[in-house]
Amino acid sequence: MRTQDIDEMRRLPFFRDVEAGNVDAMLRSAFLQRFPAHVELVRDGEPADFLHVIIEGTVEMFSGHRDRETTLGVSGPGESFILAAVLLDRPYLQSARALSAARILMLPADAVRQAFAADAGFARALAAGTAQAYRGVVRELKNQKLRSGLERLANWLLTHDVECGSRGRFDFPFDKKVLAARLGMAPEVLSRSFAALAAYDVVVRGPSVCINDVDALRKLARPSPTIDGTNI
Amino acid sequence: MRTQDIDEMRRLPFFRDVEAGNVDAMLRSAFLQRFPAHVELVRDGEPADFLHVIIEGTVEMFSGHRDRETTLGVSGPGESFILAAVLLDRPYLQSARALSAARILMLPADAVRQAFAADAGFARALAAGTAQAYRGVVRELKNQKLRSGLERLANWLLTHDVECGSRGRFDFPFDKKVLAARLGMAPEVLSRSFAALAAYDVVVRGPSVCINDVDALRKLARPSPTIDGTNI
DNA sequence: CAGTCGGCTTGATATTAATCAGGTCAGTTC
DNA sequence: GAACTGACCTGATTAATATCAAGCCGACTG
């Protein structure tokens, strides 16, 4: 890793509560890698060699079983993934692939565990990080078990609109096929769901979507703070 | 809390890596409560007042939305619940009710957070605890999204049989209605699924089940270490 | 012992989502 | 500009699951 990159990485929010010496110890053995789109970054079942921190790009977390595959989440810049596997020194439960070209900081697992053991601030930050990740998955599980496909889509649209500045209009951040997997439905079903949302004044044209009547959509979606977070 | 109880609580595995002084600080303001079956212990959406540690009995974690309700997990002695909400000082995402009569240690949230801030060993233990909880939910999400109801049942039977000593025969630890919710299916569907498993030599009579041909059941279930854990 | 209550099962039906099989259309290639 | 490609949509069909409505049975109760 180049010294210039190291300086940039040192300033990551991820390292905020960590002593400088421990940050450097981790960065010394780290890699800053660029990956093209569609590349698989980690495969589930394999030992947790690296903690990954996304610097640029988006990463899809997914998993397959028999002939099925599902997307478990999509992460973006600033987020780390498979922290829990690294901490506990257990195999990954999820696979990851780059959705776009991505720049990723890879911290060797034993360096992370060493810093975790040596640095109480880091340990607390990781506890908070895994706690947040935990709550994210619980939300996702509730979303999956308590809602129909159409409701999941409606809520995703509302949430994403808020993240884009509540303009009632945005472009999809990834292919609709990925969105379908993200929402746990077949691509065809997503397509039909969009058609069904026309009745609620949601207009999809190509890669962009217009929510013309937010209230109507909210009435269908019925967002809940214990599933979708508080800012919706 | 009686001094005798305090002594018992001090020895909990939960406190293993915590300094004695910090353990006592938490226990000083704690309650050791008995609850009858079916009582609701916490309700989702409410602020996280207490960290709960189960001493005796089993507790169902569940959540409702609109007119639906689903079980997210069942916890037993030694396990704590809603640790993440307490650590982050956020509202509970799940509700909890006692499935059986239960004895529960309730640690005030701010005492837990104070110990977390003061005691590095406790912080590390909580990090490991949330990491394990995280992996548990990821497993559950994969179980839900990648398997059919029948497959989930088959795998639950195998896992539970192992937990009961691999005798190929055990009694259900709770009502079938709860098992159905646990597996994410309607009670009627569970009933039919049991009927379908007769073809694999699984015999259900009242509250007990016999797995006469484990291999046949495994062939249907196809357990995976990244969903069901390693000991299956 | 008859009554009844809850837990469970069974059958019929409705709903939801997945699958299969074309189509459409815009962008790219030759 | 014709052919091709990939992403997406549409329709028809099938599979999975939920829902509704009885019915069964064992346990308790008067």
Side-chain angles (χ1 to χ4, degrees):
Chain A
M1 227 164 90
R2 299 175 309 173
T3 34
Q4 175 189 347
D5 289 336
I6 292 185
D7 276 354
E8 187 190 345
M9 296 303 116
R10 258 201 274 263
R11 284 191 293 275
L12 283 175
F14 184 81
F15 292 125
R16 215 191 41 215
D17 300 312
V18 193
E19 283 174 41
N22 293 318
V23 174
D24 288 347
M26 281 189 271
L27 288 178
R28 248 195 300 283
S29 50
F31 302 94
L32 182 60
Q33 279 271 18
R34 277 179 193 282
F35 295 96
H38 311 300
V39 161
E40 191 170 306
L41 304 172
V42 315
R43 178 168 304 196
D44 63 345
E46 302 208 335
D49 293 327
F50 293 96
L51 174 60
H52 296 63
V53 184
I54 306 172
I55 308 300
E56 283 171 36
T58 56
V59 171
E60 178 185 12
M61 307 302 301
F62 68 100
S63 189
H65 181 62
R66 304 180 75 159
D67 55 346
R68 279 161 272 189
E69 180 181 308
T70 190
T71 299
L72 299 163
V74 176
S75 304
E79 294 180 78
S80 67
F81 54 92
I82 42 176
L83 179 49
V86 169
L87 259 196
L88 300 173
D89 198 7
R90 316 245 32 162
Y92 299 129
L93 296 181
Q94 308 177 57
S95 303
R97 71 165 74 96
L99 280 181
S100 59
R103 218 165 131 233
I104 290 182
L105 177 65
M106 295 168 68
L107 302 165
D110 45 2
V112 173
R113 284 191 294 267
Q114 227 165 311
F116 173 74
D119 190 316
F122 190 45
R124 288 191 189 94
L126 292 192
T130 51
Q132 261 180 302
Y134 170 79
R135 285 168 67 87
V137 197
V138 170
R139 285 206 165 89
E140 187 53 41
L141 185 60
K142 289 175 63 172
N143 191 35
Q144 197 65 39
K145 288 183 84 171
L146 293 169
R147 282 178 173 152
S148 70
L150 189 63
E151 287 173 320
R152 290 197 296 276
L153 172 57
N155 280 288
W156 185 88
L157 287 170
L158 288 172
T159 302
H160 197 74
D161 181 43
V162 169
E163 284 167 4
C164 288
S166 302
R167 269 185 288 274
R169 201 204 156 288
F170 59 83
D171 284 6
F172 292 104
F174 31 67
D175 282 355
K176 286 181 190 148
K177 196 169 53 172
V178 175
L179 177 58
R182 174 75 249 281
L183 295 173
M185 57 174 82
E188 296 94 325
V189 178
L190 177 63
S191 201
R192 279 183 252 270
S193 299
F194 277 132
L197 287 183
Y200 298 83
D201 238 335
V202 174
V203 180
V204 178
R205 197 166 310 167
S208 84
V209 60
C210 263
I211 304 169
N212 290 316
D213 186 344
V214 176
D215 286 342
L217 188 58
R218 286 181 68 90
K219 214 172 142 196
L220 169 70
R222 295 239 221 147
S224 151
T226 69
I227 303 180
D228 311 287
T230 43
N231 47 356
I232 180 167
Chain B
M1 227 164 88
R2 300 175 308 172
T3 34
Q4 175 190 349
D5 289 335
I6 292 186
D7 276 352
E8 187 189 346
M9 296 303 117
R10 259 201 273 262
R11 284 191 292 275
L12 283 175
F14 185 81
F15 292 125
R16 215 190 41 213
D17 300 312
V18 193
E19 283 173 41
N22 293 317
V23 174
D24 287 347
M26 282 190 271
L27 287 178
R28 246 195 303 281
S29 49
F31 303 94
L32 183 60
Q33 280 271 18
R34 278 181 192 281
F35 295 97
H38 311 301
V39 160
E40 191 169 308
L41 305 172
V42 316
R43 179 167 303 196
D44 63 345
E46 303 208 334
D49 293 328
F50 292 96
L51 174 61
H52 296 62
V53 184
I54 306 172
I55 308 300
E56 282 172 36
T58 56
V59 171
E60 177 184 13
M61 306 303 301
F62 69 100
S63 187
H65 181 62
R66 304 180 76 160
D67 55 346
R68 277 161 274 190
E69 179 181 309
T70 190
T71 299
L72 299 163
V74 175
S75 305
E79 294 180 78
S80 66
F81 53 91
I82 42 175
L83 178 51
V86 168
L87 259 196
L88 299 173
D89 199 7
R90 316 246 31 163
Y92 299 128
L93 296 181
Q94 308 176 57
S95 302
R97 72 167 72 95
L99 280 181
S100 59
R103 219 165 130 233
I104 290 183
L105 176 65
M106 296 168 67
L107 303 165
D110 45 2
V112 173
R113 284 190 294 267
Q114 226 164 312
F116 172 74
D119 190 314
F122 190 46
R124 289 191 189 95
L126 292 192
T130 51
Q132 260 180 303
Y134 169 79
R135 285 168 67 87
V137 197
V138 169
R139 286 207 165 90
E140 188 54 42
L141 184 59
K142 288 174 65 173
N143 191 35
Q144 198 64 38
K145 288 183 84 170
L146 292 169
R147 281 179 174 152
S148 71
L150 188 63
E151 287 173 320
R152 290 196 296 276
L153 172 58
N155 280 288
W156 184 89
L157 288 170
L158 288 173
T159 303
H160 196 74
D161 181 43
V162 170
E163 284 166 3
C164 288
S166 304
R167 268 184 289 274
R169 201 202 156 288
F170 59 83
D171 284 6
F172 293 105
F174 32 67
D175 282 354
K176 287 185 189 145
K177 197 169 53 174
V178 175
L179 177 59
R182 174 75 252 279
L183 295 173
M185 55 175 84
E188 296 94 326
V189 178
L190 177 63
S191 202
R192 279 183 252 271
S193 298
F194 277 133
L197 287 184
Y200 297 84
D201 238 334
V202 173
V203 180
V204 177
R205 197 168 311 167
S208 84
V209 60
C210 265
I211 304 170
N212 290 317
D213 186 346
V214 176
D215 285 344
L217 188 57
R218 285 182 67 91
K219 216 172 139 195
L220 169 70
R222 292 240 222 149
S224 153
T226 69
I227 304 181
D228 311 286
T230 44
N231 46 356
I232 181 167

